[in-house]
């Protein structure tokens, strides 16, 4: 079996389509379970962020899994076949491993090098573990991806321009963010909103000039207790908007929170910046046409190109990812070959013991020392017979023929598949 990923991101699909495909936690869990119900999938995990939706599965059959997982994604996003083909990408086996490692390292992000994706990959794994939709294969893959992401940020400066989408949005807003008199409204109280508040406070913004509005006032009060900001009930958002200079919106609402009429009434000709980090979008696109109103959303952020000075760091992270991919795949291949080698040696030992027992039954007068001599002689013969095949399979373990050779070894020596599977299961449990 091999890992497969079917997904779409800001690189493959327009924001309008990503909005249709976006998943909250409950929808991601449902999609994972639906994937497991198909005939080709044994493990599943979903990564859903503001600029990507990806379904990772451990698949028994490539073509069957691609068709089934793609169908599920198309059904969720209400896409027809042509729309799906134009928007999705598929990675399989080695390519899928490399893709996830690049995602975790920030190489595939809308904001190159941003570290926020690490938390999102961790959330995807935690959710899949809680729902028992992942097993040894995807668990090991995601854990390694997280380690690689942390290593890339620790050993390079790849995130120095914008460590998160929030940071990129605030940077794009310009000098108004640093003005001591600027008043802020943060709409939402989830992870992104919490990060927005933390980032503003870390930048020296007075907490008393930050207002948080959320449909669940309790969650907004959690930010009040943590950062000392103010909170307003959701029905007070219009009054708060009228007294705000910069809005950071990340609610996860199904419709527009800040439509044209609401913003027009609050702005009334003054300068207002709305940073929309939600998917689906919180700010109606036509709001950008209002006088004095600036909208910074994912479309704007995806068009910002500030990556030239990161070239050296990017190259360094790519080298880290490439080396880690090779190491991971070698270990994966070894874990598949080793059970075959162990089963072969176990079979040889069983044959030796069976022959020793036969000799003892036919020549009952043999002494203990003579029996041991017979056993040692048979062991040497058996070892010589299996030495070349086992050495060869270990030599091939890092190459593309490794698994094929292991399968051939199993067939040629008529190994008990149950014994091979038993060794594999033990190894998987220990991992």
């Amino acid at each position: 079996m091999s890992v497969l990923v079917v997904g779409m991101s800001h690189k493959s699909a327009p924001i309008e389509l990503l909005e249709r495909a976006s998943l909250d936690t409950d929808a991601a869990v449902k999609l994972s379970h639906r994937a497991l119900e198909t005939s080709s999938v044994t493990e599943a995990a979903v990564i859903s962020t503001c600029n990507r939706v990806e379904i990772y599965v451990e698949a028994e059959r490539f073509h069957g899994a691609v068709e089934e997982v793609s169908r599920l994604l198309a059904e969720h996003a209400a896409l027809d076949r042509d729309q799906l083909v134009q928007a999705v990408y598929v990675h399989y086996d080695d390519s899928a491993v490399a893709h996830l490692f690049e995602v975790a390292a920030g190489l595939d992000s809308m904001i190159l090098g941003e570290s926020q994706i690490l938390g999102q990959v961790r959330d995807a794994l935690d959710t899949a573990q809680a729902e028992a939709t992942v097993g040894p294969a995807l668990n090991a893959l995601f854990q390694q991806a997280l380690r690689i992401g942390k290593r890339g940020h620790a050993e390079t400066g790849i995130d120095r321009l914008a460590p998160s989408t929030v940071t990129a949005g605030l940077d794009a807003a310009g000098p108004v963010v640093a003005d001591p008199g600027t008043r802020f409204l943060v709409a939402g109280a989830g992870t992104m909103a919490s990060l927005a508040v933390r980032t503003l406070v870390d930048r020296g913004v007075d907490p008393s000039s930050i207002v948080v509005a959320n449909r669940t006032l309790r969650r907004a009060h959690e930010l009040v207790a943590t950062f000392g900001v103010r909170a307003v009930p959701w029905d007070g958002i219009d009054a708060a908007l009228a007294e705000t200079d910069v809005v950071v919106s990340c609610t996860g609402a199904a419709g527009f929170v800040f439509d044209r009429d609401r913003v027009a009434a609050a702005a009334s000709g003054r300068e207002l910046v709305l940073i929309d980090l939600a998917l689906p979008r919180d700010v109606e696109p036509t709001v950008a046409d209002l006088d004095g109103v600036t909208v910074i959303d994912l479309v704007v952020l995806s068009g910002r190109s500030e990556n030239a000075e990161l070239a050296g760091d990017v190259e360094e992270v790519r080298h880290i990812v490439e080396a880690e991919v090779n190491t991971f795949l070698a270990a994966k291949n070894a874990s598949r070959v080793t059970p075959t080698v162990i089963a072969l040696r176990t079979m040889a030992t069983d044959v030796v013991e069976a022959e020793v027992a036969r000799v003892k039954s036919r020549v009952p007068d043999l002494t203990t020392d003579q029996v041991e001599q017979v056993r040692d002689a048979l062991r040497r013969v058996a070892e010589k017979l299996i030495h070349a095949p086992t050495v060869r399979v270990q030599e091939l373990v890092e190459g593309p023929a490794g698994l094929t050779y292991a399968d051939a070894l199993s067939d040629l020596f008529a190994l008990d598949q149950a014994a091979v599977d038993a060794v594999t299961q033990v190894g998987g449990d220990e991992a």
Side-chain angles (χ1 to χ4, degrees):
M1 294 193 295
S2 298
V3 64
L4 164 75
V5 56
V6 177
M8 60 179 71
S9 74
H10 64 285
K11 291 184 175 181
S12 68
I15 295 297
E16 291 78 10
L17 197 153
L18 286 175
E19 286 180 309
R20 292 165 59 180
S22 64
L23 297 157
D24 58 21
T25 301
D26 290 340
V29 167
K30 181 178 179 181
L31 189 58
S32 295
H33 283 291
R34 289 191 65 192
L36 286 180
E37 292 171 359
T38 65
S39 59
S40 302
V41 173
T42 58
E43 301 180 31
V46 174
I47 295 178
S48 181
T49 74
C50 61
N51 54 47
R52 78 177 60 250
V53 174
E54 296 179 339
I55 309 172
Y56 290 82
V57 301
E58 180 74 353
E60 293 182 344
R61 299 189 310 276
F62 170 73
H63 293 293
V66 168
E67 292 178 2
E68 292 167 340
V69 175
S70 298
R71 174 180 56 80
L72 292 177
L73 184 58
E75 289 177 357
H76 163 74
L79 301 174
D80 60 34
R81 182 177 178 82
D82 289 340
Q83 289 175 311
L84 182 72
V85 169
Q86 293 175 10
V88 302
Y89 46 81
V90 175
H91 297 290
Y92 183 66
D93 213 359
D94 297 11
S95 176
V97 172
H99 177 74
L100 179 58
F101 288 1
E102 289 176 355
V103 168
L107 294 176
D108 197 60
S109 296
M110 179 182 293
I111 310 300
L112 186 64
E114 57 96 8
S115 57
Q116 188 179 1
I117 185 63
L118 275 175
Q120 294 162 332
V121 173
R122 165 59 66 185
D123 290 342
L125 177 58
D126 289 345
T127 299
Q129 289 174 333
E131 292 292 324
T133 61
V134 294
L138 289 187
N139 184 68
L141 177 64
F142 271 67
Q143 293 285 5
Q144 186 65 11
L146 290 169
R147 285 191 286 269
I148 291 168
K150 292 176 183 176
R151 181 185 169 193
H153 291 291
E155 297 181 14
T156 74
I158 192 172
D159 60 356
R160 69 179 184 272
L161 283 184
S164 70
T165 307
V166 169
T167 305
L170 293 174
D171 289 345
V176 65
V177 173
D179 190 321
T182 298
R183 300 160 298 178
F184 297 87
L185 169 63
V186 177
T191 302
M192 188 81 80
S194 178
L195 179 60
V197 172
R198 180 183 298 279
T199 302
L200 288 171
V201 172
D202 288 346
R203 290 187 173 201
V205 174
D206 185 346
S208 65
S209 65
I210 303 173
V211 175
V212 177
N214 189 59
R215 294 185 188 279
T216 304
L217 193 58
R218 177 186 60 79
R219 298 191 67 182
H221 279 303
E222 291 175 359
L223 295 180
V224 172
T226 303
F227 301 103
V229 299
R230 296 183 294 133
V232 296
W234 192 252
D235 58 10
I237 197 169
D238 287 316
L241 181 61
E243 299 177 352
T244 294
D245 302 301
V246 176
V247 177
V248 180
S249 191
C250 37
T251 69
F256 295 126
V257 174
F258 298 99
D259 58 28
R260 186 185 180 95
D261 291 341
R262 167 172 276 175
V263 176
S268 61
R270 64 186 179 88
E271 298 292 321
L272 178 64
V273 177
L274 294 101
I275 303 173
D276 185 3
L277 304 179
L279 194 71
R281 284 174 287 192
D282 283 342
V283 180
E284 186 176 0
T286 59
V287 168
D289 299 331
L290 296 173
D291 291 339
V293 176
T294 300
V295 176
I296 299 168
D297 58 14
L298 298 177
V299 175
V300 173
L301 293 179
S302 66
R304 288 170 63 86
S305 178
E306 301 177 293
N307 301 332
E309 62 185 277
L310 290 180
D313 295 296
V314 170
E315 188 65 21
E316 189 174 350
V317 173
R318 290 197 186 281
H319 285 315
I320 290 173
V321 169
E322 182 179 356
E324 292 284 0
V325 168
N326 292 335
T327 299
F328 181 85
L329 293 175
K332 181 181 178 182
N333 286 348
S335 69
R336 292 183 176 180
V337 170
T338 298
T340 302
V341 174
I342 292 176
L344 178 60
R345 292 191 174 278
T346 300
M347 183 195 73
T349 299
D350 292 342
V351 169
V352 168
E353 291 304 318
E355 290 304 314
V356 169
R358 182 176 294 121
V359 169
K360 287 172 64 177
S361 67
R362 291 182 177 180
V363 189
D365 296 335
L366 288 176
T367 66
T368 300
D369 287 343
Q370 289 172 327
V371 171
E372 284 304 313
Q373 289 179 22
V374 172
R375 179 180 281 110
D376 288 343
L378 291 173
R379 283 175 176 168
R380 288 193 296 272
V381 172
E383 180 61 32
K384 289 180 180 179
L385 287 174
I386 67 174
H387 176 71
T390 55
V391 169
R392 182 58 178 152
V393 76
Q394 294 296 343
E395 289 174 348
L396 292 173
V397 70
E398 295 184 5
L403 297 182
T404 301
Y405 190 81
D407 294 339
L409 197 65
S410 180
D411 290 340
L412 288 171
F413 283 88
L415 297 181
D416 183 359
Q417 186 59 43
V420 176
D421 292 341
V423 175
T424 303
Q425 183 61 46
V426 170
D429 292 342
E430 289 176 349

